[in-house]
Structure formats: structure tokens, C-alpha cells
Amino acid sequence: MNTKEKQQNKSKDMNKTEVISDGPNATESLSGPGPLRGTSQLVLETRKGQMIFEGRRSDPNRKKPAIIGLKMFASYLRIIWDAAGNNDPYADWWLLKVERGIEAKEQWIKNKYREYKKILGQLSNLSHEVAHSISPIKRELKFSIPYSYRGAMLLTKHDELVIIIMTANHVGLVESKRAHHDIEHSAKAARTAFQAVTGYRYTGVTRDDVYANTKRAEKALDLMGPCPPKILDDEIFPKFESGKSMIMRKLRQKKKTTKQSNTAA
């Protein structure tokens, strides 16, 4: 193979769209319609955004801890999401941690983006367009968990913020020190949100185990601490649930209502 052919093949490989999933796809049913399928594509224009997407595995030899990127974040979520569908209150707790973490960091990034948007438009006789990559990377997403997509949305917000900060720095509106600080702060915000999936440990515990204080409940308590009562009693729950989780929660609430009615009678 000559040099020209190698360059052409390399170019083709770079243009291939990598497919990212957060778990196995549902199999089609022989007795009814198959599962719904759609297409989602993530576009990243900066190296900083790509780094958060990829993350980094731990390297004990070099004493480097793992960095949870979007890919690892989605993989961890699958374990938590499935456990929540099996009545694990700790899994619900961790989904709420993920939800709140993403919302908080997304708000910070949005506010910072508006700040830079205002900086770029401060001159009436000199306008600047936000720069864009001439060859962005594209990744096809085949997630089955809403929080995986929320993570992807957060990543795109981070990528957009990095772009506008670099633009403002390039045209002389923001000094390099400030630009570097804000880019690193944004990256830290995204990493911190993704880090929320860590700390969860699968034990197979259920709410019934916690109420009965079984061995599984004791193990979960040792590993993750006491589950907040409001989560345990379904007073608060994640905004996004699987169909199985929702059905089980409604059954628990119905059972609780019936018990209260019988007690009152």
C-alpha cells in the first residue's frame, strides 16, 4: 500500500461515526411490535470536549486515578438504572444525585456562556462570530437511559462554552489567564457531574430488605450509609424512571395507601 492510499484510509477512519451505547438493546418481540429505534448524534468541536467524552482509565503504576467521561458515565448508569428497576432504594438515591449534579453544573455552564456571549457583543462597530471546527468529531449515541442523554447534553454545553471562550481570547477580548481558568472550571464542572455515578455499590438490596433489616440491608448500609427516609418511602424520586420502576413505585404507594386506610378503619 502506497503513502497516498494510507492517507486515504486514515481519512476514512477519522470520518467513521463511532456508536456509543449504555447497555444492550432490547430484543424484538415475536408477539408484538419491536422496540422503537431512533438516531442521535453527538458533535464535538474541541479537544477539551473530546477529553471529557473519552475520560481516562485509572493507571495504578503512574498513580493516576480514573476520570469519568461520558462513555464510562453511561456504563455505570446502566448498573444503577437496572437496580432501581428492582426496587433498590439506593439506586433511586444515586439517580437523584446524578440528576441534581447535572442540573447544577449545567446551570453554571449556561450562566458562564451568557457572560461570554455578552463580552463578544460589547462593541457596536466590531462584531465577532463564534469560531467552529473545520472537522468536528461525530459520535452516534444509542442510549436507552435518559440520564445518559442528559450527560451528553451537559457535554455539548461544555464544548460550546470552550469554543466561545477560545473565540473571545483569540480576538483579544479576554486575557489568556482568565480564559484558561474558565475552561478548566467548566471541565471540572462536567467531570464532577459525571463523577456522581461513583460510590454506588450493587448489593441486590430492596426496600423490603431495608425495612426488615436483612443482611443485604446491613451490607448496603456499611457500603453507602443510611438511605434517606424520603427516598425509601417514595416521597421523592427521580424525574426519569424506567417503566418497571414506575409500576413498582405506584404499587408500593397503592399498598401504603391501602394499609393506612385499613389502619384508620
Side-chain angles (χ1 to χ4, degrees):
M1 184 181 293
N2 58 39
T3 303
K4 185 176 181 180
E5 290 174 330
K6 288 181 179 179
Q7 291 177 339
Q8 289 176 340
N9 287 337
K10 185 178 180 180
S11 177
K12 289 179 181 178
D13 289 338
M14 290 178 66
N15 290 328
K16 288 181 179 178
T17 301
E18 182 181 358
V19 179
I20 309 300
S21 171
D22 57 9
N25 293 321
T27 56
E28 295 188 4
S29 170
L30 296 178
S31 59
L36 298 176
R37 290 287 182 264
T39 301
S40 298
Q41 188 176 73
L42 174 68
V43 178
L44 296 172
E45 300 189 66
T46 70
R47 174 61 181 158
K48 296 291 185 181
Q50 184 183 15
M51 289 170 65
I52 300 297
F53 172 79
E54 297 290 347
R56 183 186 71 197
R57 294 192 177 279
S58 62
D59 187 345
N61 295 328
R62 299 174 65 183
K63 296 182 179 180
K64 286 189 174 183
I67 294 177
I68 307 295
L70 179 63
K71 295 167 73 174
M72 202 179 300
F73 171 76
S75 179
Y76 274 60
L77 266 176
R78 167 52 60 189
I79 298 170
I80 301 172
W81 184 260
D82 289 345
N86 290 321
N87 197 19
D88 181 345
Y90 285 88
D92 282 336
W93 185 16
W94 250 259
L95 288 178
L96 279 166
K97 288 184 178 186
V98 168
E99 178 182 298
R100 291 165 178 173
I102 288 176
E103 288 177 350
K105 301 308 179 184
E106 188 175 54
Q107 189 58 54
W108 182 90
I109 291 175
K110 284 181 178 179
N111 291 341
K112 186 61 65 172
Y113 186 90
R114 283 195 288 266
E115 179 183 319
Y116 273 86
K117 192 75 173 177
K118 187 176 180 179
I119 290 171
L120 281 181
Q122 65 184 335
L123 301 175
S124 58
N125 296 324
L126 179 61
S127 61
H128 303 287
E129 288 188 1
V130 177
H132 290 286
S133 171
I134 59 173
S135 55
I137 64 169
K138 299 177 181 180
R139 297 292 183 264
E140 184 179 348
L141 304 180
K142 287 192 174 181
F143 293 148
S144 57
I145 300 173
Y147 290 111
S148 296
Y149 284 107
R150 291 300 302 269
M153 292 177 205
L154 177 66
L155 178 54
T156 62
K157 295 296 181 185
H158 164 65
D159 198 56
E160 290 169 357
L161 178 57
V162 172
I163 292 170
I164 199 170
I165 291 174
M166 293 176 71
T167 301
N169 175 244
H170 178 72
V171 300
L173 290 172
V174 172
E175 295 179 0
S176 298
K177 183 178 180 181
R178 177 183 173 185
H180 175 75
H181 173 271
D182 286 345
I183 288 174
E184 290 304 311
H185 199 143
S186 179
K188 184 178 180 181
R191 290 196 302 267
T192 300
F194 291 163
Q195 194 74 20
V197 293
T198 62
Y200 173 79
R201 298 291 182 269
Y202 177 76
T203 60
V205 71
T206 66
R207 282 174 170 78
D208 290 338
D209 286 317
V210 176
Y211 290 135
N213 195 28
T214 65
K215 292 292 184 182
R216 284 181 177 177
E218 291 177 2
K219 184 178 179 180
L221 179 64
D222 289 340
L223 291 172
M224 296 174 282
C227 182
K230 288 188 176 182
I231 293 175
L232 189 62
D233 294 337
D234 292 311
E235 291 181 32
I236 55 175
F237 45 86
K239 292 178 181 178
F240 298 100
E241 302 174 279
S242 67
K244 185 178 180 182
S245 291
M246 189 179 296
I247 290 171
M248 292 189 71
R249 177 172 56 79
K250 288 182 177 180
L251 287 173
R252 291 193 301 270
Q253 291 175 334
K254 184 177 180 180
K255 184 178 179 181
K256 183 178 178 179
T257 301
T258 301
K259 185 177 180 180
Q260 290 174 341
S261 298
N262 291 338
T263 301

